[in-house]
Amino acid sequence: MVFKSAGNFYQKHKQVILYGVSLAVLLFVLKWIELRFLIIDHIIEVYSGAIALVFTGLGVWLAMKLTTPKVERIIVEKEVYVTADADFTPNETERLRLGISGRELEVLQLVAEGLSNQEIASRLFVSLNTVKTHSSRIFEKLEVKSRIQAVERARRLRLIP
Amino acid sequence: MVFKSAGNFYQKHKQVILYGVSLAVLLFVLKWIELRFLIIDHIIEVYSGAIALVFTGLGVWLAMKLTTPKVERIIVEKEVYVTADADFTPNETERLRLGISGRELEVLQLVAEGLSNQEIASRLFVSLNTVKTHSSRIFEKLEVKSRIQAVERARRLRLIP
DNA sequence: TTCAAAATCATACTTTCGGGTGATTTTGCA
DNA sequence: TGCAAAATCACCCGAAAGTATGATTTTGAA
């Protein structure tokens, strides 16, 4: 975690750090050359340079510590289409009139969700044949010939949402 | 423009600037008190303090300048409720986005009416194979696996009533 | 308890759907 | 005019859907 952050920081400010290090090395070399001759005379410059470096670092640290991170907030609105049939109430009357049993309605609902007969069988823990039997009866009672027509008709009759 | 930027900068880094100014004032006052007596003896400390202040400022400025703003992307799902089919207007935008051609949409509408592929073929005066090709492409584009799911999805996307 | 309706499952068969591949023609736009 | 997209069609294959028939078990109400 710490290493990762450090690496991240390094990556982000590579140039600055390299620049700083290079500068420091350069100054060090130059100073070292002159050091034995000039250190006495230029003690103040060396001292000032050190202070400058340290306090530049302090300034950077301060800024990092104290400024709230700049955050650009981009809000992307993603449209989700929803049909507003929250107020659906199943038409029990129609169901009884057509003689559609509870289990058949269950199957019908799953058909309407786009499930295959096999998927419906698994969902209801019954065999594929059972589902086929149910759906066949549904088609008879709704007087249709395919599952799509059944769904269409059941929707019109408010049997399913 | 310049003033605006300056004001903006001040607003963003209010605390830092105030901190710096306060520190400067404090040091100035302290120094001023001792100044007349000690300035000669403590010229190096004054000099160092000035350098420290200036380079702390430089450090802060550097940090401000170089930190990359963090970008936070927030995706908000905005639910768009659509009413039932009386005021249906086909969602042309969505159709084009999905790359569904005009003929494909025609087939899709007939599928939604519960017609078999053969019936659709007769209705459109084309061969059964053509209808199959169209419907296969529709399933791909709508990312579904059956005609029922296709109708379901197309309704949600307002491609069909 | 009895009995009809509902629910379950099976087997066999036909039709339809859907995927994959490849090809040709039509059309609208640059 | 040339080209890419759209539209058309064919053939094959496997999976899924649908039909028909018959049977057994569960269940709920009379």
Side-chain angles (χ1 to χ4, degrees), chain B residues 124-140:
Chain B
L124 299 179
F125 303 106
V126 296
S127 80
L128 174 61
N129 289 308
T130 302
V131 176
K132 283 186 174 185
T133 305
H134 284 318
S135 59
S136 276
R137 293 208 179 290
I138 293 169
F139 298 159
E140 284 174 19

Side-chain angles (χ1 to χ4, degrees), chain A residues 30-61:
Chain A
L30 288 175
K31 283 296 172 185
W32 181 78
I33 291 170
E34 302 173 355
L35 196 59
R36 60 193 62 187
F37 309 109
L38 301 172
I39 194 162
I40 305 302
D41 294 339
H42 296 84
I43 184 69
I44 290 176
E45 279 85 345
V46 173
Y47 184 52
S48 302
I51 289 177
L53 270 177
V54 168
F55 277 86
T56 300
L58 175 66
V60 170
W61 177 81

Side-chain angles (χ1 to χ4, degrees), chain A residues 9-24 56 60 64, chain B residues 59 62-63 65-67:
Chain A
F9 181 85
Y10 173 73
Q11 283 302 324
K12 281 188 176 174
H13 308 101
K14 205 171 179 178
Q15 299 133 313
V16 178
I17 292 172
L18 286 179
Y19 173 76
V21 171
S22 306
L23 195 62
T56 300
V60 170
M64 298 281 193
Chain B
L62 260 179
K65 197 78 178 184
L66 297 178
T67 47

Side-chain angles (χ1 to χ4, degrees), chain A:
Chain A
M1 191 63 179
V2 173
F3 289 109
K4 190 184 171 191
S5 294
N8 195 16
F9 181 85
Y10 173 73
Q11 283 302 324
K12 281 188 176 174
H13 308 101
K14 205 171 179 178
Q15 299 133 313
V16 178
I17 292 172
L18 286 179
Y19 173 76
V21 171
S22 306
L23 195 62
V25 169
L26 181 63
L27 285 175
F28 178 76
V29 170
L30 288 175
K31 283 296 172 185
W32 181 78
I33 291 170
E34 302 173 355
L35 196 59
R36 60 193 62 187
F37 309 109
L38 301 172
I39 194 162
I40 305 302
D41 294 339
H42 296 84
I43 184 69
I44 290 176
E45 279 85 345
V46 173
Y47 184 52
S48 302
I51 289 177
L53 270 177
V54 168
F55 277 86
T56 300
L58 175 66
V60 170
W61 177 81
L62 261 180
M64 298 281 193
K65 198 78 177 182
L66 296 179
T67 54
T68 52
K70 297 181 197 171
V71 173
E72 274 181 37
R73 183 168 292 217
I74 300 174
I75 295 179
V76 180
E77 285 192 350
K78 179 187 175 188
E79 290 188 347
V80 178
Y81 291 91
V82 179
T83 48
D85 41 10
D87 56 344
F88 173 76
T89 48
N91 190 339
E92 192 74 3
T93 310
E94 199 66 20
R95 186 179 78 84
L96 294 176
R97 191 180 70 78
L98 295 170
I100 293 174
S101 73
R103 198 60 158 171
E104 284 163 358
L105 186 63
E106 262 185 281
V107 171
L108 183 55
Q109 285 166 340
L110 295 178
V111 167
E113 286 180 23
L115 301 190
S116 69
N117 285 342
Q118 182 56 65
E119 288 170 331
I120 295 171
S122 303
R123 187 78 74 89
L124 298 180
F125 303 106
V126 297
S127 80
L128 174 60
N129 291 308
T130 302
V131 176
K132 283 186 174 187
T133 305
H134 283 318
S135 59
S136 276
R137 293 208 179 289
I138 293 168
F139 298 159
E140 285 173 20
K141 291 170 183 174
L142 290 179
E143 296 173 339
V144 296
K145 302 198 75 62
S146 74
R147 53 211 291 116
I148 286 226
Q149 289 175 359
V151 171
E152 192 70 12
R153 186 146 172 68
R155 287 240 166 79
R156 289 228 179 281
L157 297 174
R158 312 285 306 158
L159 294 174
I160 55 176

Side-chain angles (χ1 to χ4, degrees), chain B residues 6 17 32 54 56 65 77 79 93 133 151:
Chain B
I17 292 171
W32 182 78
V54 168
T56 300
K65 197 78 178 184
E77 289 202 345
E79 289 189 344
T93 310
T133 305
V151 171

Side-chain angles (χ1 to χ4, degrees), chain B residues 83-148:
Chain B
T83 50
D85 45 22
D87 54 348
F88 173 76
T89 47
N91 190 339
E92 193 74 3
T93 310
E94 198 67 18
R95 187 180 77 85
L96 294 176
R97 192 180 69 78
L98 295 170
I100 293 174
S101 74
R103 198 60 159 170
E104 283 163 358
L105 186 63
E106 261 186 283
V107 171
L108 183 55
Q109 286 164 341
L110 296 178
V111 167
E113 288 180 21
L115 302 190
S116 70
N117 285 341
Q118 182 55 65
E119 288 169 330
I120 295 171
S122 303
R123 188 77 73 88
L124 299 179
F125 303 106
V126 296
S127 80
L128 174 61
N129 289 308
T130 302
V131 176
K132 283 186 174 185
T133 305
H134 284 318
S135 59
S136 276
R137 293 208 179 290
I138 293 169
F139 298 159
E140 284 174 19
K141 290 170 182 174
L142 290 179
E143 294 173 340
V144 295
K145 301 199 78 62
S146 73
R147 52 210 293 115
I148 287 224

